[in-house]
Every structure is written in C-alpha cells, then in structure tokens.
Amino acid sequence: MDLSSFRQVPPQVPTVVCAEHIVQFWSDDEVLLDRLEGSISSAIEAGDAAICIATKIHTEGLAKRFKLHGDDMTAAIEQGRYVTLDAAQTLSAVMPQGKFEQGRFFEFFRKVLVKARNAIEHKGSHVTVFGEAVALLWSRGNHDDAIRWERSGNVLAQGTAVSVCCGYAIRGFDLQRDNDYFQMICAEHAAVILPAGLPALSDKDRQEHIKSELKQVLLQAEQLVQRDTILLYPEWQGPYRAALLETDRKQLFKEVEVAESAVLARLQVLPTQTENLPERHQLLHAWSGLQMIKKKKLGFL
C-alpha cells in the first residue's frame, strides 16, 4: 500500500472541525446555566431554534430561569424551536447495547435537527445545540466512546451547519492521568472554554496535538505493513494490516468493516489500567487510520 497518499489528507483525529463546535469545561453549575441561558435565549429571540441535551438538574435549572422569560419561551417550546432532551435517554437511544454506533448517532441527530429546522419560519435557519450526553460517557469511564462521539459530532456539524457546544464537568478529569484524552477532546473543537484559574489552550497547542497524532498513525501503519513485523495484538492488528494492504476497492470495504469491528471489540473489553495504555493508544491510532482510509480511498465524509 502506498502510504504517501495518507500524507496528503488531514488526520481523522481530529476531524476537520466545524467553526461553531466548541467545548466548555465547567466547575460551577450556575456559571454553566448562565452561559446556556444566554445562548439559548439569543437563538430564540433571533427566530432560530435551540436543542438542549442535558442532565435533569440542568434542564430543571434552565426551566426555572426561562419562566422569567414569559411567553417568548412558551411559544418557542410549543413551536418546537426550543427542544430539551434528557442526556441519559439520548445515550440509550444512540447506544442501546452500551456500544457506540455511528449509524444510530447520525440517524438520531438528523431526525432531531430536521424537526427543529422545520419549526423555523424564516430562511437561513440556524440551530444551536448544547450537548451533555458525551459528558455522561466520560463520567462512566467510557472514554473511547466519548472520543468517537465527539468525532461523529464533527462530521454531523460539518454537514448540517449547526452551532454545537459540548459540556463537561472539569472535576471529572485528572489532568495528569487523563491528559492525552483531555487534549484529544480539546483538539476536536474550534474553541475551548475553561474555568477561571486554569490556563487556556492555544490554537498552537491543538495543532501540535493534531500533528503528533497524525505522525503516530502513519508510524504505526508503516510498521504494520512491513512483512517481517511480528504482531503483538494479532486479533485486531491482523485485520487492520489487511485493510492497510488491500488494493482492490470493493474488497477494501469489507476489510475496513472487519478491522473496525475488531478494533471496537477490543476497545470495549480492554481494561483501563495503566499497563494497558500502550495497546489502547495503538487501538486509537488504528481507528484513526481506518477513518483516513474510508475518507481517502472509499470517499466517505
């Protein structure tokens, strides 16, 4: 396989980020609710739509605040321009078996977005989305699916031109232990909002992470395609190598599907202890490489 073709495309980790895709790490509920109240109110007052996917405590907090807005918010709710969804129920809808399914993700959110757009009367309609479901994934220790959720959200945002804000409680992160994942989450967004007292992340920091990730993906791919390479994890490295080496486009669809299934299956069962981090990082790089193949070789968005 000619790996030089990989160098001509941006890495799939992170994907090309929608300009309206931001992330807020919050330490205080009231600060978060202040921001949500402002962004949702602005969207409604402009005649646009807003979708809030949040935990029960946050949707109830917003409801109390919006009572002060009177008839405007009541009308928006009746028209379908302001929609609230429970974060836990959203997770169950997208991941009924507890495993992330990109197809279900797209199907669920496209239906929600179409319904919200149809409620807007004027042309050039815009939808603002706040999402906290991914934070539940993180809090449950499902870090790999949280990253996959974010990446799929980028693909969705690119195709639907929505403003998306993801929210995480900063107390859920150990910034020393979870630094790699924290950087990956930040790199998936065009802007990062941190609580007061934490140093801001620069665009340079995120770009350096992107370059480092692409370098690791290419290095792993180059090592695997060498004929004398001994596979440390043959149950998933074997299918991944087969996909890297496949030249027939029709067969490549099948090889990529098999490799993705093997990578995801291993991620689901791999314990999160420190001793497993090297394999976990290789699995994430493999997943990235497969997404690059799908984009470059198979024409997937």
Side-chain angles (χ1 to χ4, degrees), residues 4-206:
S4 64
S5 62
F6 277 6
R7 294 176 174 82
Q8 301 172 10
V9 296
Q12 189 71 12
V13 183
T15 55
V16 178
V17 181
C18 172
E20 296 290 339
H21 193 192
I22 66 176
V23 59
Q24 177 172 5
F25 296 94
W26 52 273
S27 59
D28 182 270
D29 287 274
E30 291 303 312
V31 173
L32 175 67
L33 292 176
D34 284 343
R35 179 175 177 83
L36 290 181
E37 180 184 11
S39 62
I40 292 172
S41 296
S42 296
I44 298 304
E45 290 170 4
D48 291 330
I51 300 169
C52 183
I53 305 168
T55 57
K56 184 177 180 180
I57 189 172
H58 290 151
T59 53
E60 290 179 347
L62 283 172
K64 292 178 181 178
R65 288 168 175 247
F66 286 146
K67 283 183 178 180
L68 302 177
H69 292 254
D71 295 338
D72 288 343
M73 290 304 299
T74 300
I77 294 172
E78 293 175 349
Q79 294 162 4
R81 291 195 298 116
Y82 176 49
V83 179
T84 59
L85 299 173
D86 181 79
Q89 292 178 3
T90 299
L91 275 187
S92 296
V94 175
M95 302 171 58
Q97 304 301 321
K99 297 180 180 180
F100 182 78
E101 298 180 32
Q102 193 175 58
R104 283 185 176 273
F105 176 93
F106 289 141
E107 180 182 7
F108 178 87
F109 281 103
R110 281 173 178 152
K111 287 181 179 179
V112 173
L113 290 171
V114 166
K115 189 174 181 179
R117 288 190 186 282
N118 289 340
I120 305 173
E121 296 181 356
H122 64 85
K123 293 183 178 180
S125 59
H126 190 77
V127 181
T128 296
V129 179
F130 170 74
E132 205 176 359
V134 70
L136 288 185
L137 278 175
W138 180 266
S139 68
R140 295 172 182 177
N142 200 340
H143 301 168
D144 298 319
D145 276 344
I147 298 298
R148 287 194 281 273
W149 186 290
E150 290 286 15
R151 292 173 183 166
S152 298
N154 262 330
V155 176
L156 184 70
Q158 291 169 34
T160 55
V162 298
S163 296
V164 181
C165 177
C166 303
Y168 293 84
I170 194 66
R171 61 178 174 269
F173 291 81
D174 180 325
L175 295 183
Q176 290 185 328
R177 182 194 63 203
D178 302 326
N179 182 63
D180 284 348
Y181 279 105
F182 181 76
Q183 291 288 343
M184 292 170 76
I185 291 172
C186 292
E188 287 297 324
H189 298 84
V192 179
I193 302 171
L194 294 171
L198 287 180
L201 293 172
S202 66
D203 289 339
K204 182 179 179 181
D205 292 333
R206 292 197 293 275

